[in-house]
Amino acid sequence: MPDFLLYALLGGMGVAVIAGPLGSFVVWRRMAYFGDTLAHSALLGVSVGFMLQVNLNLAVIFCCVALALILVAMQRQRMVATDTLLGIMAHSSLSLGLVAVSLLEIRVDLMSYLFGDLLAVGVEDLYWIYGGGLLALVLLKLLWQPLLAITINEELAHVEGVNVAWTRLALMLLIAVIIAVAMKIVGLLLITSLLIIPAAAARRIAQSPEQMAIGAAVVGSLSVGGGLGLSWHFDTPAGPSVVVVSLLIFVLLYTLPLRRAI
C-alpha cells in the first residue's frame, strides 16, 4: 500500500472513531444544524490562520471554540430563536471566511478545504488527528454519564446535581475540536455528515447508547475504507466518496427488517 494511502486510511479512521460517539449525541440531541454552523466557521479559521501565519489547525480550533462560546452566550439572552441564530451564524461565518480568503495576497485552494483532501493527509496531520482525538475521547469518557443525563432529561439531570450548562458547553467544545481536526478528511461542507450518518445508521441496530456509539465508530471506519477504495479504483474525490459509502451503509441498514431499539 502506498504511504499516502496508508496515511489517508489512518487519518480517516482516527476521525471516525471519535466522530462516532460524538455524532451519537448530535443525533440524540438534534444538533445537526449546530454542527453545520461550526463547520462553516472553520473556513473563517482557515483565513485567519493564513492572515496571521499561524498553524491552520490551531486557528480553526480557535474560531470554532469562539463561535461555540458566542452561541452559548447569545442563547442565554434569548433575543433570537436558536434555529434563526444558528442560520445567521452559519452563513455569516462562511461568507466572512470567503471574503477574507479573497483578500489574501496568496492563492488558497478552497476546494481542498470545502470538500476535503484525504489523500493529502501527512504525518503532521496524523499527530493532530490522533492527539486531538485522544483528548476528546478521554473527555468524552469522563463526561459520558452527565451527557447521557442531560440528553434524557435536562431538568431531572439538574435535580440530580449535574451542571447542565457546563456539560452542554463541553459537548459543543468537543464537537468544535473534532470539526477542526477532521477538516482535511471530508472538508468543511461535509464534516457534519461524518458525525450524523454513521450514528444514524448505528442507531438502527443498537440496543444501548454505548452500542450505538461503538457502532457509529465502526460504520465510520468502514465508510472511510470503502470511500478510499472507491476513490482509488474509480478516481472519485476521496472525501465525498467516504460520505457516499456511509450513506449506502445507512440505506442498507434501514432496509433490513429490524426493530430500532433506541
Side-chain angles (χ1 to χ4, degrees), residues 2-260:
D3 287 346
F4 73 90
L5 200 58
L6 177 61
Y7 293 155
L9 184 63
L10 291 175
M13 287 190 171
V15 171
V17 166
I18 180 58
L22 275 177
S24 299
F25 283 105
V26 172
V27 171
W28 291 329
R29 296 180 60 80
R30 301 178 181 178
M31 294 174 65
Y33 205 2
F34 173 77
D36 274 335
T37 302
L38 288 185
H40 289 172
S41 73
L43 183 60
L44 182 59
V46 170
S47 61
V48 169
F50 276 116
M51 285 181 176
L52 302 180
Q53 296 183 349
V54 298
N55 184 280
L56 293 185
N57 289 309
L58 288 176
V60 170
I61 290 174
F62 174 79
C63 280
C64 287
V65 169
L67 185 68
L69 293 173
I70 292 172
L71 283 170
V72 171
M74 295 187 70
Q75 281 178 333
R76 289 181 178 177
Q77 299 298 322
R78 296 185 179 179
M79 297 174 61
V80 182
T82 298
D83 60 339
T84 303
L85 179 61
L86 288 172
I88 292 171
M89 298 295 286
H91 301 296
S92 298
S93 58
L94 179 61
S95 299
L96 283 171
L98 290 170
V99 170
V101 167
S102 70
L103 296 176
L104 293 174
E105 295 181 357
I106 59 175
R107 184 176 179 181
V108 180
D109 181 14
L110 284 180
M111 293 298 289
S112 63
Y113 293 104
L114 294 177
F115 297 103
D117 195 6
L118 180 54
L119 295 178
V121 170
V123 176
E124 183 180 349
D125 297 308
L126 293 179
Y127 288 146
W128 279 100
I129 291 170
Y130 280 87
L134 181 61
L135 176 62
L137 277 177
V138 171
L139 293 176
L140 186 60
K141 173 64 176 177
L142 295 174
L143 292 169
W144 183 260
Q145 291 302 326
L147 282 172
L148 280 180
I150 68 170
T151 299
I152 295 171
N153 190 312
E154 289 193 356
E155 294 182 358
L156 181 60
H158 179 73
V159 171
E160 293 177 347
V162 176
N163 192 323
V164 174
W166 281 106
T167 304
R168 191 190 303 123
L169 177 60
L171 176 61
M172 292 180 179
L173 295 181
L174 283 175
I175 295 172
V177 171
I178 293 307
I179 285 175
V181 300
M183 177 177 61
K184 207 162 189 175
I185 305 302
V186 291
L188 305 177
L189 298 183
L190 299 176
I191 280 177
T192 313
S193 64
L194 200 59
L195 285 168
I196 296 173
I197 300 178
R203 190 176 191 177
R204 177 66 172 169
I205 57 176
Q207 302 295 319
S208 68
E210 290 76 15
Q211 285 185 12
M212 179 171 163
I214 295 172
V218 172
V219 171
S221 298
L222 292 175
S223 301
V224 169
L228 281 174
L230 188 64
S231 177
W232 178 258
H233 289 289
F234 298 101
D235 196 27
T236 56
S241 297
V242 170
V243 178
V244 168
V245 173
S246 183
L247 175 63
L248 291 175
I249 296 174
F250 170 83
V251 172
L252 175 63
L253 289 176
Y254 271 79
T255 55
L256 296 177
L258 300 173
R259 180 178 63 86
R260 193 180 73 184

